[in-house]
Amino acid sequence: MDERIQRKVEKLEQQCQKEAKEFAKKVQELQKSNQVAFQHFQELDEHISYVATKVCHLGDQLEGVNTPRQRAVEAQKLMKYFNEFLDGELKSDVFTNSEKIKEAADIIQKLHLIAQELPFDRFSEVKSKIASKYHDLECQLIQEFTSAQRRGEISRMREVAAVLLHFKGYSHCVDVYIKQCQEGAFLRNDVFEDAAILCQRVNKQVGEIFSNPETVLAKLIQNIFEVKLQSYVKDQLEEHRKSDAEQYLKNLYDLYTRTTNLSSKLMEFNLGTDKQTFLSKLIKAIFISYLENYIEVEIGYLKSRSAMILQRYYDSKNHQKRSIGTGGIQDLKERLRQRTNLPLGPSIDTHGETFLSQDVVVNLLQETKQAFERCHRLSDPSDLPKNAFRIFSMLVEFLCTEHIDYALETGLAGIPSSDSKNANLYFLDVVHQANTIFHLFDKQFNDHLMPLISSSPKLSECLQKKKDIIEQMEVKLDMGIDRTLNCMIGQMKHILAAEQKKTDFKPEDENNVLIQYTNACVKVCGYVRKQVEKIRNSMDGKNVDTVLMEFGVRFHRLIYEHLQQYSYSCMGGMLAICDVAEYRKCAKDFKIALVLQLFDTLHALCNLLVVAPDNLKQVCSGEQLANLDKNILHSFVQLRVDYRSARLARHFS
């Protein structure tokens, strides 16, 4: 079995080796035939290249022969047409058939170029005829373009425009297109919106007609600006330029804004390379004569308008503005009056009028706000900070100086001297209104002026001007408040002098005292509470505490000095303690720790008026009195009616 399989395997191996040799032989033969075929292909490719070179050479030769031939034929035709002009009779169908206007235009355009090279003396007549035909055809083409535009035939317009492109009258064709585009386009009241719609429509159409659409569209826009818009702007502005500055400025701002908005819309279109500069020049050309002196008109209007607002207010109050004296004798009198409260001349009775008006302030700020907005829009960027500063200076002059400062000066002059009886004190009302107004002024400074000057050297100048104004007003406010507090104390002195009796603290019948505190105390406390409330309503922030502290200290000093004018019996001392307790209760309304502490100490001092002689030393060394000067304690003890009889001086020796 194994031998049989082995023989079979050997037989198959021999057969396989035989077939492999035959296959290898066959592959060698195929490789040889492939090499032969490749050589044939190379030879064929070289032959084809050779033939192609010959064909190209032949083509060049034919073209070299044909091109001059075509030129000669074309020249012959042109000579034929030229002869017709020379003879004075145009017989060719191309000139007589209106449907062949395109071919005629091509021929006449070439003849026109040739005629320009000919000497004038010999060919003047024929040159004139060619020029005349050139002009006629040009007019016919433009007329054809016009008719096609009216019919809305875009393809015909494109065809005619392409022919006219080589004629001198091509620009006239563009002009006709621009003129007809605008027919019926400006029928509404809004010329700017009409212009935007027209340009939008033409932008979609112009590329289908002309080979240079951006130039045509730019020319249309230039025409709209230089003719339609310039005329419209002039009509709107010249009407009010000399007669009504307010309306003139409003119209100028509105027209310039709408023109720049239109320019922004037109920036979307392709108008050539530098469309930003192109549109800016068009706007400048319209408005340059108005913008050159804009700020002078603005300042002039703002000045007259502000003066009118103030004058109208003072007229409504039947008030004639008085000149505020400064320097010299007037200034000396004012300083002396501040320091000594001497009546150097009568004070002015303002009848409770502050001469400050919220309506006036709102009107002035509104006018200035509009001026800032116009300034921002209409000023050249290099002039903007300078112009904004001039407007701010107008606001300072009329709002701060002519209105607020005048009211402060008038208010100061209206404060009566501290020894006046039943004086009406209105200066705190002035303080309250001036404070409110200055907040509005500050808001406008930050909201409308700062953005215009924030990156310029004018910023520091404006801030300094504002600071100076604040400081000047604070000086006058402080002066007025100080004198008002003096008047309040003066009123309280009058109340105490009129209502306090010596018998209040040294009653004739010690056992028959029925009152809890004196009538003078009741009236003073009532007056003080009203003034504290008025101060709170007139001030804000830390100013309230500052003024109340000053008022409280003066109130304490007044009561302290007042109490030292009397002698006190035992029952009178008790009544004095009750009065001071009431004063202390009133002092709590101040909500100032120092003022309450002063009255606490005064209350403790009043205990010295009633304490038993043997306990006097102990009370003097108590917590509230231990730190006081012995002379102060002694001065209070001296007010007792039993000071000599009880030999109380020994306690202070």
Side-chain angles (χ1 to χ4, degrees):
M1 183 78 176
D2 291 338
E3 288 178 6
R4 192 169 48 196
I5 290 170
Q6 181 65 34
R7 281 198 299 274
K8 195 171 182 178
V9 167
E10 288 175 356
K11 187 177 179 181
L12 287 170
E13 285 179 349
Q14 288 174 359
Q15 188 177 352
C16 184
Q17 288 174 357
K18 183 180 177 183
E19 287 178 357
K21 287 179 181 178
E22 290 176 357
F23 182 74
K25 186 178 178 182
K26 197 171 184 179
V27 167
Q28 285 178 351
E29 289 174 355
L30 286 171
Q31 283 180 336
K32 287 179 181 178
S33 63
N34 185 47
Q35 286 178 352
V36 172
F38 182 72
Q39 286 176 355
H40 288 167
F41 276 122
Q42 278 186 326
E43 290 173 2
L44 183 61
D45 184 54
E46 289 173 0
H47 189 65
I48 288 171
S49 296
Y50 175 75
V51 171
T53 303
K54 287 289 185 182
V55 169
C56 287
H57 179 65
L58 184 61
D60 290 341
Q61 286 182 328
L62 288 172
E63 186 178 358
V65 172
N66 191 49
T67 300
R69 181 177 174 278
Q70 284 181 341
R71 287 178 180 170
V73 170
E74 190 173 330
Q76 187 181 16
K77 286 181 180 179
L78 288 174
M79 288 171 67
K80 175 189 169 188
Y81 297 135
F82 185 81
N83 283 333
E84 290 185 16
F85 279 100
L86 201 60
D87 296 339
E89 187 177 354
L90 300 178
K91 301 176 182 178
S92 298
D93 182 53
V94 72
F95 293 126
T96 56
N97 190 345
S98 59
E99 293 182 2
K100 294 187 177 181
I101 191 170
K102 184 178 178 181
E103 291 86 341
D106 181 55
I107 291 166
I108 202 68
Q109 199 266 336
K110 291 175 180 176
L111 287 174
H112 187 259
L113 290 174
I114 292 169
Q116 288 177 340
E117 303 295 324
L118 298 175
F120 183 78
D121 53 346
R122 290 176 57 194
F123 296 96
S124 59
E125 186 177 350
V126 72
K127 287 178 76 166
S128 175
K129 289 176 182 178
I130 291 172
S132 176
K133 188 64 177 177
Y134 180 92
H135 178 69
D136 290 345
L137 275 175
E138 194 175 58
C139 290
Q140 288 179 44
L141 287 167
I142 291 171
Q143 185 59 45
E144 178 63 24
F145 182 88
T146 304
S147 301
Q149 186 175 1
R150 285 178 179 155
R151 294 191 303 269
E153 296 177 3
I154 301 296
S155 59
R156 182 58 178 162
M157 290 169 68
R158 179 173 59 248
E159 186 180 339
V160 175
V163 174
L164 275 168
L165 182 63
H166 304 292
F167 278 76
K168 292 179 179 179
Y170 177 71
S171 62
H172 187 54
C173 170
V174 174
D175 292 340
V176 167
Y177 174 76
I178 288 171
K179 182 181 177 181
Q180 289 200 168
C181 279
Q182 296 179 67
E183 289 179 1
F186 296 96
L187 298 177
R188 293 178 297 180
N189 291 330
D190 193 344
V191 66
F192 297 94
E193 187 62 27
D194 286 340
I197 293 170
L198 172 62
C199 292
Q200 191 84 36
R201 175 167 60 81
V202 170
N203 181 58
K204 293 176 182 177
Q205 185 186 80
V206 72
E208 300 176 21
I209 301 170
F210 297 99
S211 58
N212 54 340
E214 68 282 350
T215 306
V216 177
L217 185 58
K219 196 168 184 179
L220 169 66
I221 291 170
Q222 184 176 353
N223 182 268
I224 291 171
F225 271 74
E226 292 179 351
V227 179
K228 187 64 69 174
L229 292 188
Q230 186 147 12
S231 173
Y232 181 77
V233 167
K234 185 177 180 180
D235 290 344
Q236 294 291 310
L237 293 180
E238 292 298 334
E239 180 183 357
H240 304 288
R241 190 169 191 176
K242 294 180 180 178
S243 60
D244 188 348
E246 179 181 12
Q247 194 59 48
Y248 169 77
L249 288 168
K250 284 180 179 177
N251 287 357
L252 178 59
Y253 175 76
D254 178 61
L255 292 168
Y256 190 82
T257 300
R258 293 169 73 189
T259 305
T260 51
N261 289 343
L262 174 62
S263 173
S264 299
K265 292 178 183 177
L266 299 179
M267 283 291 290
E268 300 171 7
F269 306 139
N270 179 16
L271 305 175
T273 52
D274 195 355
K275 51 188 173 183
Q276 177 73 55
T277 305
F278 170 69
L279 291 170
S280 297
K281 284 181 178 178
L282 292 178
I283 295 172
K284 186 176 179 181
I286 294 175
F287 290 97
I288 188 167
S289 63
Y290 305 108
L291 297 182
E292 281 177 341
N293 68 333
Y294 149 70
I295 193 61
E296 302 305 328
V297 178
E298 184 74 78
I299 295 299
Y301 165 71
L302 201 56
K303 193 170 186 176
S304 61
R305 178 68 176 168
S306 301
M308 188 200 75
I309 290 169
L310 289 178
Q311 191 58 51
R312 193 168 55 192
Y313 167 70
Y314 295 122
D315 288 346
S316 72
K317 299 292 180 183
N318 292 319
H319 175 73
Q320 181 66 42
K321 279 187 81 174
R322 67 189 189 91
S323 59
I324 305 298
T326 55
I329 299 298
Q330 182 69 28
D331 197 33
L332 179 61
K333 279 185 178 181
E334 189 58 41
R335 286 203 299 270
L336 285 172
R337 184 173 178 176
Q338 293 163 25
R339 297 182 183 181
T340 64
N341 286 309
L342 293 174
L344 302 172
S347 62
I348 296 172
D349 187 358
T350 60
H351 303 288
E353 180 58 61
T354 62
F355 292 108
L356 286 172
S357 166
Q358 196 88 357
D359 290 340
V360 167
V361 172
V362 169
N363 286 337
L364 289 173
L365 290 174
Q366 182 63 20
E367 291 292 344
T368 314
K369 176 188 172 185
Q370 290 172 356
F372 280 134
E373 288 173 352
R374 288 192 291 264
C375 176
H376 190 195
R377 174 70 71 179
L378 302 174
S379 294
D380 187 271
S382 61
D383 295 330
L384 178 57
K386 176 179 65 178
N387 291 348
F389 178 76
R390 290 184 67 182
I391 293 171
F392 174 63
S393 298
M394 285 289 103
L395 179 63
V396 169
E397 179 183 344
F398 286 96
L399 176 62
C400 299
T401 306
E402 294 294 327
H403 193 54
I404 304 176
D405 192 61
Y406 176 76
L408 292 178
E409 289 283 359
T410 306
L412 283 170
I415 299 173
S417 61
S418 59
D419 58 354
S420 299
K421 294 181 180 179
N422 301 319
N424 291 317
L425 302 174
Y426 298 112
F427 192 77
L428 289 181
D429 295 331
V430 177
V431 173
H432 174 61
Q433 287 185 267
N435 208 14
T436 303
I437 291 169
F438 214 81
H439 282 312
L440 295 174
F441 170 78
D442 193 51
K443 186 175 189 306
Q444 183 163 96
F445 183 93
N446 293 324
D447 292 351
H448 297 101
L449 176 62
M450 283 294 285
L452 308 184
I453 59 169
S454 57
S455 56
S456 79
K458 285 290 178 184
L459 174 62
S460 58
E461 199 171 338
C462 287
L463 289 171
Q464 186 60 46
K465 195 176 186 74
K466 179 186 165 190
K467 182 185 174 188
D468 293 343
I469 286 291
I470 293 173
E471 288 176 353
Q472 288 170 21
M473 293 192 179
E474 282 179 346
V475 167
K476 291 178 182 178
L477 288 169
D478 290 346
M479 186 191 307
I481 291 168
D482 179 66
R483 285 163 57 181
T484 299
L485 293 180
N486 283 341
C487 284
M488 289 178 183
I489 298 302
Q491 296 292 303
M492 291 155 66
K493 280 182 182 178
H494 285 302
I495 294 171
L496 290 170
E499 300 294 333
Q500 199 85 71
K501 298 177 179 58
K502 290 190 176 182
T503 55
D504 286 343
F505 302 119
K506 201 163 61 171
E508 294 176 2
D509 187 354
E510 290 278 326
N511 298 317
N512 193 23
V513 179
L514 301 176
I515 58 174
Q516 293 181 332
Y517 28 74
T518 67
N519 193 44
C521 174
V522 174
K523 290 196 173 182
V524 166
C525 288
Y527 180 82
V528 168
R529 286 192 173 97
K530 285 182 182 177
Q531 302 313 313
V532 168
E533 184 180 359
K534 196 164 189 178
I535 289 170
R536 288 195 185 281
N537 293 334
S538 303
M539 314 274 176
D540 59 7
K542 293 180 180 179
N543 293 331
V544 178
D545 291 344
T546 304
V547 175
L548 283 178
M549 181 184 290
E550 183 62 30
F551 182 41
V553 169
R554 296 186 191 190
F555 172 37
H556 167 267
R557 188 185 307 127
L558 172 68
I559 300 303
Y560 176 87
E561 292 173 353
H562 173 71
L563 290 173
Q564 290 193 322
Q565 297 174 14
Y566 300 92
S567 296
Y568 299 87
S569 65
C570 183
M571 187 52 67
M574 291 299 292
L575 198 55
I577 290 173
C578 290
D579 274 6
V580 173
E582 192 64 22
Y583 291 136
R584 183 173 62 175
K585 194 187 295 183
C586 183
K588 286 182 180 178
D589 293 344
F590 285 69
K591 297 180 181 177
I592 304 292
L594 174 63
V595 175
L596 189 57
Q597 183 184 343
L598 289 172
F599 277 93
D600 283 342
T601 304
L602 183 58
H603 188 268
L605 281 169
C606 286
N607 286 330
L608 298 177
L609 301 174
V610 298
V611 70
D614 294 339
N615 296 331
L616 191 60
K617 197 165 188 178
Q618 182 184 350
V619 173
C620 286
S621 59
E623 183 181 347
Q624 286 187 304
L625 302 178
N627 294 326
L628 290 181
D629 188 280
K630 275 189 177 184
N631 293 329
I632 294 174
L633 301 176
H634 192 189
S635 66
F636 257 80
V637 173
Q638 284 176 324
L639 301 175
R640 291 171 60 140
V641 295
D642 63 347
Y643 176 72
R644 293 184 184 279
S645 60
R647 294 188 300 151
L648 300 179
R650 57 192 170 88
H651 294 290
F652 299 95
S653 56

